Amino acid sequence: MLTATRLGAKILQSGGSALDAVIATISTLEDHPLFNAGYGSLLNSEGNVEMDASVMSAEPVSDAMPKRGRKSQQVAEDDYNVTAGAVAVISRVQHPVVLARAVMERSPHILMAGVGAERFARSCGIQLVKPAAMISARARERWRARQQQQAESAAEAAARASMGMEHGTVGAIAIDARGGIAAATSTGGVPGKLFGRVGDSAIIGAGTFAHGLGAASATGQGEAIILTSLCREAVLALAEGSPDAIAREAIGEMIDATGAEAGVIILDRRGRIGYAHNAASMQVARFDPAGGLRHLWLPPIGAVRRQ
Ligand code: ASP
């Protein structure tokens, strides 16, 4: 995580865009087998990789800021050009987030899925790999262990389920020196997912969102994140509060509405960062010019609310 975040930070420090920074960070994490994204993605119920990813960018329109008479957190829709791209259930692309960016920049669409998305990748010069090349030994091992569990009695399986989900989805958010804001997310999905299932990481507004107010990326039970439009709700709430408070509120509301596990990272247009989750664990790496590069292991907020 530190290596990937350092790469993003270098891009920002040398005047690069928030969009380039989040894509470089996520691509690096997609290559590492410890994460549930790209190579190392969890396998679906049939033992195959099906990956989702998305990216969203809010670019300031050069003459629009700052406007007089406007409160600091007030942002008008026409101050920013907002664009997004996403891919779902793809098996043959090494860096799904790069394909999501290609959908954003090189197609008239926002979300492309499956074989059509892979054919589009080829037309953009993105090399296709064999689906087996995306399966790590660890992912195969976890899939086998899960198959075994499913053969056990329902009571044993339920006891195991309460021990928490396996996550490992990756997300990145950034703001650059010109005020450009971006978010990106990539995942292999939830363990045991059915063939063809699409999660929140492919859904703009659910797993990923960027706006003139800020950006967010989510992890956790995708169905709950989609139901609560977690990232969009959280980013729009930045008009009223700090990223830390908003992250806690967003996860609290998600728990109340669904009882599921999720986490969110969020930043505002002042570069302030917030995060919260109610899973067994969540880690973040962050960079800002004052604090430098740091890695944090975050305690869950869920304990009190879930009682
Ligand atoms: N949110 C992802 C999904 O539902 C999984 C995760 O974050 O662990 O596909």
Side-chain angles (χ1 to χ4, degrees):
M1 287 177 74
L2 284 169
T3 303
T5 308
R6 188 176 294 118
L7 190 63
K10 273 198 181 134
I11 291 171
L12 295 172
Q13 283 176 305
S14 57
S17 69
L19 176 61
D20 283 343
V22 296
I23 295 288
T25 301
I26 295 297
S27 304
T28 305
L29 296 169
E30 283 175 339
D31 282 336
H32 200 294
L34 274 181
F35 298 100
N36 173 21
Y39 176 68
S41 286
L42 291 176
L43 310 186
N44 67 12
S45 55
E46 303 196 354
N48 299 315
V49 160
E50 286 185 320
M51 301 170 288
D52 298 337
S54 57
V55 62
M56 188 162 182
S57 146
E59 277 293 313
V61 175
S62 48
D63 58 357
M65 289 176 62
K67 286 211 170 101
R68 259 192 268 147
R70 200 174 271 174
K71 284 195 221 144
S72 63
Q73 284 302 303
Q74 223 170 338
V75 173
E77 294 298 328
D78 58 2
D79 286 349
Y80 285 83
N81 280 328
V82 178
T83 49
V87 289
V89 291
I90 57 166
S91 308
R92 305 189 55 199
V93 173
Q94 207 170 340
H95 296 117
V97 77
V98 171
L99 181 54
R101 182 180 188 166
V103 170
M104 174 171 98
E105 293 179 335
R106 300 173 67 177
S107 88
H109 308 304
I110 288 189
L111 172 59
M112 294 186 72
V115 176
E118 289 166 357
R119 192 188 293 173
F120 174 73
R122 199 158 27 192
S123 76
C124 293
I126 295 173
Q127 206 195 329
L128 296 187
V129 298
K130 292 207 168 91
M134 301 307 293
I135 300 179
S136 68
R138 183 167 180 264
R140 176 65 70 200
E141 198 39 58
R142 286 172 127 190
W143 181 79
R144 281 209 190 98
R146 198 180 162 79
Q147 297 291 105
Q148 221 165 350
Q149 272 175 36
Q150 277 169 355
E152 292 169 4
S153 74
E156 279 173 330
R160 279 176 201 270
S162 71
M163 288 162 60
M165 290 174 55
E166 309 157 61
H167 295 304
T169 292
V170 297
I173 48 180
I175 180 163
D176 61 42
R178 292 167 308 101
I181 294 171
T185 312
S186 183
T187 190
V190 288
K193 69 178 185 176
L194 295 178
F195 176 48
R197 178 262 189 188
V198 177
D200 61 294
S201 309
I203 309 294
I204 296 299
T208 302
F209 196 67
H211 180 277
L213 283 168
S217 171
T219 180
Q221 185 61 50
E223 285 69 15
I225 298 169
I226 294 171
L227 271 178
T228 53
S229 298
L230 187 67
C231 286
R232 185 170 193 275
E233 291 286 319
V235 169
L236 296 185
L238 285 172
E240 312 292 339
S242 73
D244 235 0
I246 299 296
R248 285 169 175 279
E249 250 167 62
I251 294 301
E253 280 166 18
M254 190 278 316
I255 298 170
D256 292 344
T258 68
E261 275 184 8
V264 67
I265 54 173
I266 177 161
L267 71 71
D268 70 6
R269 60 204 292 248
R270 289 158 61 182
R272 297 182 300 174
I273 304 172
Y275 17 67
H277 75 93
N278 66 326
S281 71
M282 184 167 113
Q283 298 173 55
V284 298
R286 54 177 288 167
F287 169 81
D288 60 82
L293 187 63
R294 279 174 284 164
H295 173 265
L296 305 165
W297 200 298
L298 307 176
I301 65 157
V304 179
R305 296 191 73 112
R306 261 195 300 188
Q307 280 168 0

